[in-house]
Amino acid sequence: MPSTDPPLPSGVPFTAVAADRWRAARAAQRWDSRWLVLLPLGLCLFAMVRAGLPAVCSPAQPCGQDWAGDLVAAALLGEALVLLARPQGQVLVPYALLPVVWYLPEGLPDEPSRWAVLIGQALLAWLLTVVEVGRRRARQQLADLMGPEVPYPWTAAGGPSPFAADPVRATGRRVLGWLLLGTAVLLLGLGLYRQAASDERAAGAQLVQGTVLSSDDVGDTTLRYRLPGDQDVRSAELEVWWDAAPQPGDTLPLLADEDGWVRLAGDPYDPTVWLMSATVVGGVGLIALASATRAVRIRRGFDRPGAPALRVLAYPSEDAEAVGPLSGVPFWSLSAQGISCWHEGVWARSPVVEHDEDEDFEHPEGPVEALLYQAPDGASAQLLVRPWTAGDSPDISWPPVDWLAVVCAPGVRLLDHRPSALEPPTPAPAAPTPAGPVPAARWSMPGPVRLASGPVAALLLGFVVVSRSEHGWWGGLLQPLTFGVFAFVGMVAALGWQAGVDRRGVWVATGLTCRQVDWEDVIGANARNGRVTIRIRDGDEIGFGNWLTRWVGPRGYRAEELASAVAHAAGAEEYRPTGQGPGPLSHRQLTVNRAALAAYLLLTVVLFLNAHGWF
């Protein structure tokens, strides 16, 4: 069937040299990550640990509201939300927070915590500045390369833009944002109201002495007291957050009234929880409002007749849109936000149109030449225009279309940070070329070491938990769960790994999970310090082996030779194994490790609950 589609406009070719220059400008790309959110959260946690709990609150030694500390904590929490959302102006946040910390020294408990926050904010500001400077430099390179505007496909066809801003979607985000902001104001108002109501009732209450009946590590304390002139003995349950929990028989000063309202004397109501909740909810609301504004702004460029564009190679798939230079491998991963199809002179938002089932259509397979309008890191959304391919839908009843236009977010994800990303996957020059197909093989740590890694790790961590005398929420539950899981995963990954290659691809088990990668998805491999790292086409990596492998690894295991064999097999079919491996990976080992981890988690929770008398 002859094609009636209009030819693609002539855009500037995106070459491997231009891709190298772009990657060199974005040298700090690895720091452009949501993992930076851990820095303000870690600083906030460090300040909380340094502050600790008050020793005691009494009329002679009252505890006051630390508004400066609450402001700094709310600012750090808001900064974490901004880093999680990753807006364009996130680089300004640490610069705005530095003066707050500097001019509010009372907002942090001591000088070490204050200087830790200042140094952490300075480091974060420097990292974000380097990332932003690199992004602007790379964007300027692409702007200089693209040159003048190229007409959009619908402009060349004489039709309107099919990608107008979606007012319903933006309105929904605005409504959600304003609702969250209203909820944040309500939470803050409730906290201040409860504080004012508590202070008002305290002004009319009587000072009495209460006797502690029971107390636990989480602060729940039961007391009994008697009002002046009243013969009845009353009881009350309060939360006492002191450094040393009161013991049964201790006497505490209380403020109480005839209606049963009770509060510790010298310990006013603390609305910090309400303030932090309002900060989180309000921050999410602001992010929703900013997202609605951005969703409209980035699509305004589609109202113009054209935009600068690059000619690229597109690698269509059902999961993502990947593009690269005209010579090389996939370089950028694009986040698709909308699709429109050109068929028989009409732009349609759905690819389903009427067609004759007897007609025989041919679709291109593999990478196809395409146009990428706007390019990454611009003020507008990107537009990828490419032919329809057979891999776009597994449903063979879908008819062919002439062109596919995909709207993508302005940002991109670099698929490979290494200088070899633009070259075909080849082994190191010193590695000899195999004489024939690589033999199917399997490697793993010695059986006894591999089988014992999970149970031994769980036993060691369980012994540490049982030996601890700390039974609070952090020391008795959260800390063993968090650090224990990290330690367990590290131990079984180092001592319990398995790997194999056969005609289907590469198999890797890291102690808790097993993954199989087809040869078509492998783009290279390297070895360092006994560890083999395999690079995958979507930018991910899987690895196995470590420095321990040199002493306790399988006989004949040589990481450099294995990486060379994998790289050759990934680059050419004649080097790939022709048969299956000597046996499947041991999934029984994965089950044992998962059961050992579950037993450790269950032991930690049971010990915590038993320490608090919940059993």
Side-chain angles (χ1 to χ4, degrees), residues 84-150:
L84 199 61
R86 297 177 64 186
Q88 288 186 348
Q90 64 177 355
V91 65
L92 302 176
V93 175
Y95 287 103
L97 194 57
L98 275 171
V100 175
V101 179
W102 181 264
Y103 290 107
L104 279 179
E106 65 275 11
L108 292 162
D110 52 16
E111 283 298 312
S113 60
R114 179 169 177 260
W115 282 106
V117 173
L118 286 173
I119 294 174
Q121 290 302 309
L123 175 62
L124 182 61
W126 176 76
L127 287 175
L128 294 179
T129 301
V130 171
V131 170
E132 184 64 23
V133 170
R135 180 185 292 112
R136 292 178 180 271
R137 185 185 300 117
R139 175 61 191 178
Q140 187 60 43
Q141 290 179 2
L142 293 178
D144 296 339
L145 175 65
M146 289 185 293
E149 293 186 351
V150 175

Side-chain angles (χ1 to χ4, degrees), residues 329-557:
V329 296
F331 188 65
W332 291 322
S333 177
L334 309 178
S335 176
Q337 296 181 337
I339 299 177
S340 187
C341 305
W342 169 272
H343 181 68
E344 296 182 352
V346 178
W347 282 100
R349 300 301 295 270
S350 173
V352 179
V353 295
E354 296 295 334
H355 70 287
D356 188 354
E357 296 182 357
D358 296 332
E359 291 182 288
D360 185 17
F361 298 99
E362 293 184 0
H363 302 286
E365 296 183 358
V368 292
E369 190 169 317
L371 266 185
L372 181 63
Y373 288 87
Q374 296 291 353
D377 299 328
S380 301
Q382 302 179 86
L383 182 73
L384 180 67
V385 182
R386 60 172 175 81
W388 178 272
T389 65
D392 281 319
S393 174
D395 187 355
I396 60 174
S397 65
W398 279 21
V401 297
D402 300 320
W403 297 109
L404 198 67
V406 184
V407 176
C408 303
V412 294
R413 181 170 63 90
L414 185 61
L415 291 180
D416 195 356
H417 296 281
R418 292 165 181 78
S420 60
L422 301 179
E423 300 296 333
T426 56
T433 302
V438 175
R442 172 185 168 186
W443 303 270
S444 69
M445 296 293 281
V449 176
R450 178 167 51 84
L451 294 173
S453 60
V456 170
L459 287 174
L460 292 176
L461 294 171
F463 176 76
V464 173
V465 173
V466 172
S467 303
R468 291 173 62 92
S469 59
E470 179 69 31
H471 299 295
W473 280 97
W474 170 247
L477 182 64
L478 298 181
Q479 192 179 53
L481 291 180
T482 304
F483 296 104
V485 168
F486 280 114
F488 183 90
V489 171
M491 293 177 67
V492 298
L495 300 175
W497 63 266
Q498 308 171 70
V501 294
D502 58 15
R503 58 182 176 82
R504 294 171 294 179
V506 181
W507 301 75
V508 177
T510 56
L512 290 175
T513 59
C514 181
R515 185 172 181 181
Q516 187 264 335
V517 182
D518 296 334
W519 285 117
E520 290 76 10
D521 295 327
V522 178
I523 63 174
N526 56 36
R528 184 177 182 181
N529 295 331
R531 179 174 178 82
V532 175
T533 302
I534 300 172
R535 301 195 300 274
I536 307 174
R537 192 169 297 279
D538 61 1
D540 198 3
E541 292 182 348
I542 55 175
F544 56 89
N546 45 68
W547 60 272
L548 291 174
T549 312
R550 297 181 178 182
W551 288 276
V552 296
R555 181 177 301 177
Y557 174 85

Side-chain angles (χ1 to χ4, degrees), residues 194-195 197-212 221-228 230 232-240 242 251-270:
R194 296 191 66 172
Q195 183 187 36
S198 178
D199 292 342
E200 182 180 358
R201 300 198 69 167
Q206 304 181 63
L207 181 63
V208 297
Q209 298 296 322
T211 302
V212 177
T221 304
T222 304
L223 306 99
R224 63 182 179 185
Y225 64 95
R226 180 182 300 170
L227 292 175
D230 191 353
D232 296 333
V233 177
R234 305 188 182 192
S235 63
E237 293 185 359
L238 302 176
E239 291 185 355
V240 182
W242 293 349
T251 301
L252 302 179
L254 305 175
L255 292 175
D257 60 13
E258 297 289 344
D259 298 329
W261 180 86
V262 182
R263 194 182 80 180
L264 288 171
D267 190 4
Y269 182 82
D270 188 359

